[in-house]
Amino acid sequence: AGSIYVYACTVATCTLDDEIQIGALPAGARFGSAVAISGDRIAVSAPGAGIGEVFVFDRVDDRWEMQQVPGQVFGSGGRFGVSLALSGDTLVAGADDQEGRRGVAYVWRWNGGKWAPEQTLRPAERATGDRFGSAVALNGDTLLVAAPYATAGVAAPGYAAGEVHAYTRSGSTWTQAAKLTAPDAAQNDGFGTTVSAASDTVAIAAPGADLPSKTEAGAVYLFTNGAGSWALRIGAVRNGHARGPVKRS
């Protein structure tokens, strides 16, 4: 059913601190498929347990206390918890197989006693098979939700070129601020297969992107958010070299 291993690290070394398992999970639950950590809090998913399950563990003294996050299902499909992001008292879980594989992302906030639903995200332009929610990244009040199978592209739209939806929060309301795509998007690039956010910069991977004479060599795109305006900073990083427009402050 799966395990996660918690390590305590210093500058010099990391040592095994604990192993966490959920004994009641069924075979094929795939506990540990996605993990996220924020301070003394860890979120762990088991997307193969029925429609999927998500657990949050808080460190209290020398033990980990568990809270199960309630799942929500709309239509058919599941894979609830296929992706996770955690920042303080906010948790995001993707369910990219729900609603005809259009995908959904769920946001919760810890209210001091339980994880309460804050918002369910579904961009209006989702299409069947986009798998919105396959990857998520959270940094404070900025959230990225990827749909790596979406048809995208400016010049020649292609299936699974991929796109990433950027949201910002005001109070308890999340609003889509931008839809990010690769300027050289092509079929099967998978833009948004993995995403990461830190401060005002986000990194978005497209592992299926091609190089001249190198099929699926892969690329990473960097975007910056300046006062609510998203801009491409580095067009693509391929094999350690920047390609496309580079903007530096």
Side-chain angles (χ1 to χ4, degrees):
S3 302
I4 66 164
Y5 298 87
V6 183
Y7 287 82
C9 297
T10 65
V11 174
T13 185
C14 290
T15 56
L16 182 63
D17 182 67
D18 207 346
E19 178 183 359
I20 300 175
Q21 295 179 323
I22 305 292
L25 288 174
R30 303 191 67 81
F31 177 77
S33 290
V35 296
I37 188 168
S38 180
D40 286 331
R41 176 172 286 160
I42 301 173
V44 187
S45 72
I51 63 165
E53 297 186 45
V54 174
F55 304 87
V56 177
F57 300 88
D58 287 311
R59 185 193 290 275
V60 179
D61 298 326
D62 60 347
R63 68 186 188 278
W64 292 94
E65 292 190 352
M66 184 186 77
Q67 293 279 345
Q68 187 170 0
V69 178
Q72 297 167 277
V73 182
F74 299 89
S76 61
R79 280 168 50 98
F80 170 67
V82 69
S83 61
L84 293 175
L86 181 64
S87 179
D89 288 336
T90 303
L91 170 68
V92 182
D96 66 356
D97 204 43
Q98 289 187 10
E99 301 184 1
R101 296 183 180 176
R102 290 175 174 84
V104 179
Y106 300 99
V107 186
W108 288 268
R109 186 177 283 189
W110 178 252
N111 64 12
K114 66 178 182 179
W115 288 95
E118 184 169 72
Q119 194 166 333
T120 301
L121 304 177
R122 300 180 181 86
E125 62 271 30
R126 287 178 312 157
T128 299
D130 279 1
R131 290 195 176 276
F132 174 82
S134 290
V136 294
L138 179 64
N139 183 56
D141 291 324
T142 298
L143 169 63
L144 301 179
V145 185
Y149 288 89
T151 297
V154 177
Y159 170 73
E163 62 191 27
V164 173
H165 301 259
Y167 294 86
T168 56
R169 177 171 56 186
S170 177
S172 59
T173 301
W174 292 90
T175 303
Q176 183 168 316
K179 182 170 69 175
L180 308 178
T181 59
D184 53 351
Q187 183 169 323
N188 294 321
D189 276 1
F191 178 85
T193 296
T194 56
V195 293
S196 185
S199 186
D200 62 349
T201 301
V202 302
I204 302 172
D210 296 338
L211 278 174
S213 303
K214 295 182 180 180
T215 303
E216 297 184 352
V220 176
Y221 298 80
L222 303 182
F223 292 80
T224 56
N225 179 15
S229 178
W230 290 87
L232 182 68
R233 180 179 180 186
I234 297 181
V237 180
R238 305 170 189 256
N239 296 341
H241 300 284
R243 174 176 177 269
V246 178
K247 299 180 180 179
R248 303 182 188 278
S249 56

